Amino acid sequence: MAATDPRSRNAVTTWVIGPGRVGRCLAWGHRQQGEAVVLFGRQAGPWQTWAAEQNLTTALLEQRKQDLAERPPQRLLFCPGDDVLAESIQDWASAMAGVLPGFAVHTSGIHGLTLLQPLADLGWRTAVLHPLLPFTEAETSWQALSSAVVTVEATEQAKSEVEVLGRLWGCLLHWLPADFDRRPYHLALSLAANHLTALLAWSEELLQPLLGDQARPALTSLAGHAVQAFEERGPAQSLTGPVVRGDAEVVAAHLAALPPEQAGRYRQLLEPLLDLAERSGRLSREGSQALRLLLNPSALDEESPDSKA
Ligand SMILES: NC(=O)c1ccc[n+]([C@@H]2O[C@H](COP(=O)([O-])OP(=O)(O)OC[C@H]3O[C@@H](n4cnc5c(N)ncnc54)[C@H](OP(=O)(O)O)[C@@H]3O)[C@@H](O)[C@H]2O)c1
């Protein structure tokens, strides 16, 4: 059974659903703030050992009925995966009939407020709070959350509770209109976080044979400077490298160094890079034409400038 900490008897009761990266972080952080937290999972697993080490109260879904009778939550934070979020909310709404309505939140970027409608229908105030943060370990992510932007889609009735949560997380709240198109929004964030990680992983694989353990810190520093320049000068002016210089020979050398499947991948990545270079006004017409030829694999044999000599 989910025993609540007696020291927290008068504290806000927050239940966190989904013991993954986000759920663990929020459960840990809210507990640190003195709330009575219960972290709910749908099945037993190593997350329970982790929670026990953190002195966090846990429960499985089948214990919910008893816990609801003993001490219902004032806040529900939904953090299962996006693929099961709708059914999880629906399932909780079915279990909540007769419970005093509180404040329900989910943290998904791809799903909006309508997913929480089953709880809104029971009188719950509802909000989507989406942290623009890649979550890792609980404690590290809780600290990072305090400097992150968190976007909000909420009903008017939930506004004050959203602001309380924003202060608790220490984050910068950014309010978004109701029912906006989340697809380009989510894609943008995925490009900046997930795709960047994949690019860095590929860079590390290429550099590791030469730099060994130093590859990762070297790339972190390089990428950090690129991100800083992007922030300070914007994309058009911060772009460097052979593409914006119109140096097709160097790009041809890159292509020649790669096995065919990786060359194809590199070509696809060159598309947006070349688009940006052209829009920056810094790439000559000739440079652009030479580079565009390289995007078509049949237009050139992929020999490096050295091997041509
Ligand atoms: N990760 C990020 O950086 C990040 C950032 C911003 C927002 N988000 C959002 O946060 C939410 C959670 O993401 P995440 O990365 O933390 O996912 P995750 O690591 O995959 O964790 C999901 C957890 O929920 C559990 N679960 C699944 N169905 C459940 C249910 N019905 N009841 C209770 N627990 C259930 C899963 O365990 P089992 O499958 O083992 O049961 C798993 O432990 C998503 O909506 C995501 O879009 C994530």
Side-chain angles (χ1 to χ4, degrees):
M1 175 195 147
T4 40
D5 184 337
R7 289 169 300 176
S8 308
R9 199 151 285 145
N10 296 317
V12 174
T13 305
T14 297
W15 287 6
V16 181
I17 295 117
R21 290 185 175 214
V22 176
R24 288 186 198 201
C25 168
L26 295 182
W28 188 90
H30 280 247
R31 185 71 196 87
Q32 292 296 309
Q33 300 293 317
E35 295 191 356
V37 174
V38 183
L39 178 58
F40 275 85
R42 65 178 162 180
Q43 56 192 342
W47 65 275
Q48 291 167 307
T49 313
W50 173 84
E53 286 163 4
Q54 311 302 319
N55 211 14
L56 266 171
T57 304
T58 61
L60 295 175
L61 291 181
E62 61 247 32
Q63 297 166 230
R64 181 173 53 186
K65 203 170 168 189
Q66 188 181 346
D67 289 358
L68 281 170
E70 283 176 10
R71 187 176 178 180
Q74 285 136 329
R75 252 194 232 125
L76 280 178
L77 303 182
F78 283 94
C79 314
D82 288 332
D83 56 336
V84 290
L85 184 58
E87 72 182 77
S88 173
I89 291 170
Q90 185 62 63
D91 172 56
W92 276 84
S94 317
M96 284 301 189
V99 173
L100 189 67
F103 177 42
V105 171
H106 80 66
T107 58
S108 170
I110 195 70
H111 295 299
L113 205 51
T114 46
L115 236 59
L116 289 159
Q117 195 57 43
L119 284 164
D121 290 343
L122 296 173
W124 285 68
R125 282 87 60 201
T126 55
V128 181
L129 270 81
H130 180 226
L132 307 194
L133 181 73
F135 283 71
T136 54
E137 280 79 35
E139 188 172 353
T140 312
S141 297
W142 181 257
Q143 279 160 10
L145 188 58
S146 67
S147 59
V149 171
V150 174
T151 64
V152 182
E153 186 186 351
T155 57
E156 194 56 35
Q157 302 91 307
K159 209 170 170 194
S160 61
E161 282 160 299
V162 168
E163 276 158 4
V164 169
L165 206 54
R167 282 196 291 279
L168 193 88
W169 292 2
C171 59
L172 184 70
L173 294 177
H174 188 99
W175 291 78
L176 295 171
D179 291 331
F180 68 99
D181 187 351
R182 285 184 169 265
R183 295 168 303 175
Y185 160 83
H186 192 262
L187 169 63
L189 304 173
S190 180
L191 285 172
N194 319 142
H195 289 245
L196 187 59
T197 304
L199 283 179
L200 287 170
W202 190 17
S203 297
E204 188 179 32
E205 279 164 31
L206 291 168
L207 209 58
Q208 208 269 343
L210 206 59
L211 265 66
D213 289 350
Q214 289 308 302
R216 192 170 296 179
L219 287 169
T220 304
S221 166
L222 177 67
H225 286 297
V227 170
Q228 193 179 345
F230 168 81
E231 182 184 16
E232 290 169 359
R233 310 186 68 195
Q237 291 309 312
S238 62
L239 187 61
T240 62
V243 170
V244 75
R245 286 197 297 268
D247 194 337
E249 286 208 356
V250 171
V251 175
H254 292 169
L255 285 164
L258 292 169
E261 70 284 0
Q262 289 195 22
R265 191 203 292 178
Y266 180 53
R267 274 200 181 84
Q268 287 172 1
L269 290 168
L270 282 169
E271 285 269 10
L273 186 50
L274 191 47
D275 282 349
L276 174 61
E278 286 167 347
R279 281 186 283 122
S280 77
R282 295 167 55 210
L283 177 62
S284 70
R285 192 182 168 85
E286 300 73 44
S288 166
Q289 280 170 348
L291 285 160
R292 287 253 162 235
L293 269 181
L294 293 176
L295 296 185
N296 179 359
S298 58
L300 286 175
D301 62 340
E302 291 167 7
E303 284 185 30
S304 72
D306 291 344
S307 66
K308 276 186 202 158

